Amino acid sequence: MAAPAVLRALRRLCGVALFVSQLYVLSGRAGSLMATKHSQPQSTFAKSLTSTSTNAPYFRAAESTEIPAYVTKCPSNGLCSRLPPDCMICNTNYSCIYGKPATFDCRVKPHVHCVDQNNHEQENFTINMTCQFCWQLPTTDYVCTNSTSCMTVSCPRQRYNATCTVRDHVHCLGNRVFPKMLYCNWTGGYKWSTALALSITLGGFGADRFYLGQWREGLGKLFSFGGLGIWTLIDVLLIGVGYVGPADGSLYI
């Protein structure tokens, strides 16, 4: 009687084990199906990302077509010979004779439009200019930076390093921006006529020196009554010839 009972128990255990194994297999298949379903949108999304990334150079190329900054300096539909040098490219000939007229072949830069004497649009043209480098131009043809720290009234007269830029309507050879040593020529607003008038009328009280910003000399003249008149006469001569100037080293107006 005991043996049949043991056999029935073993059959039940085998049935339970078989049921559990079938559930495990079914659960694994369901998980794989869910994974494949979720992976499909992800791959689609990845493809969309790659497609947009391949389109990126197209947008960058579109941004690179912006109008250059030099176009703002170029008058539209004006005479080609009157264009500023920044608007054209010229084949300069450095073997021309200095100081003599020279003719150079030029063409306009991209996005620049100009016309000839007959109002016909053209790209290639010629310009006439004097054969000389930009730093050899007259002082009226370029603009230089000014210095407010050097002494204009000094012996010898001081110079300073300036950066000069050629005016737009002037054509020349070489660099249009160049360094140059210039004399100090700035002014602080002091008038030579006012200083001379104060020296003649109130020089004995040091008014001329006070006006020029020379406080120590002014106090010396004030308490010495103009050096008993001698200092006053000397200052009239020195201010009259321009030897004594403002204390900041600037020029008279």
Side-chain angles (χ1 to χ4, degrees):
M1 295 295 293
V6 173
L7 291 175
R8 286 194 297 268
L10 290 175
R11 288 177 182 175
R12 290 177 182 176
L13 288 175
C14 291
V16 172
L18 180 62
F19 178 77
V20 171
S21 62
Q22 289 177 354
L23 286 178
Y24 179 79
V25 172
L26 291 175
S27 62
R29 291 181 179 178
S32 63
L33 289 175
M34 294 296 293
T36 53
K37 288 181 180 180
H38 288 289
S39 63
Q40 289 179 354
Q42 186 175 359
S43 61
T44 306
F45 180 71
K47 290 181 180 178
S48 63
L49 287 178
T50 54
S51 61
T52 54
S53 63
T54 55
N55 292 334
Y58 173 78
F59 293 107
R60 291 176 184 173
E63 292 177 357
S64 63
T65 59
E66 295 180 356
I67 299 177
Y70 62 80
V71 177
T72 58
K73 301 180 181 179
C74 308
S76 179
N77 295 327
L79 290 176
C80 295
S81 58
R82 300 289 182 86
L83 287 175
D86 293 336
C87 305
M88 65 180 74
I89 300 174
C90 297
N91 298 324
T92 55
N93 182 13
Y94 289 93
S95 61
C96 58
I97 301 175
Y98 172 75
K100 298 295 183 178
T103 302
F104 299 111
D105 296 328
C106 303
R107 69 180 185 277
V108 295
K109 290 184 177 180
H111 305 284
V112 178
H113 303 280
C114 63
V115 296
D116 57 6
Q117 298 291 342
N118 298 324
N119 203 23
H120 295 155
E121 187 173 356
Q122 60 179 357
E123 295 182 357
N124 300 318
F125 56 95
T126 59
I127 60 170
N128 299 319
M129 55 178 285
T130 304
C131 181
Q132 59 183 348
F133 287 95
C134 295
W135 60 270
Q136 296 173 323
L137 291 172
T139 55
T140 55
D141 291 340
Y142 54 83
V143 180
C144 300
T145 57
N146 203 354
S147 175
T148 58
S149 59
C150 60
M151 299 291 291
T152 58
V153 182
S154 62
C155 186
R157 191 175 177 186
Q158 292 186 1
R159 295 173 179 259
Y160 70 97
N161 293 320
T163 301
C164 302
T165 305
V166 181
R167 299 183 185 274
D168 289 339
H169 66 280
V170 179
H171 298 275
C172 55
L173 300 176
N175 296 326
R176 300 184 61 83
V177 179
F178 54 90
K180 198 165 188 178
M181 293 289 295
L182 299 178
Y183 285 109
C184 299
N185 59 352
W186 65 285
T187 178
Y190 296 94
K191 293 184 178 180
W192 172 82
S193 58
T194 303
L196 183 60
L198 291 175
S199 181
I200 295 173
T201 57
L202 301 174
F205 302 99
D208 51 352
R209 295 283 184 165
F210 286 126
Y211 171 74
L212 296 176
Q214 302 175 5
W215 296 95
R216 289 177 295 182
E217 291 81 353
L219 291 175
K221 291 182 68 175
L222 177 62
F223 291 110
S224 65
F225 300 102
L228 299 179
I230 299 176
W231 194 350
T232 302
L233 294 176
I234 294 175
D235 273 357
V236 171
L237 295 175
L238 294 179
I239 294 176
V241 299
Y243 185 80
V244 173
D248 58 3
S250 63
L251 291 174
Y252 287 114
I253 297 177

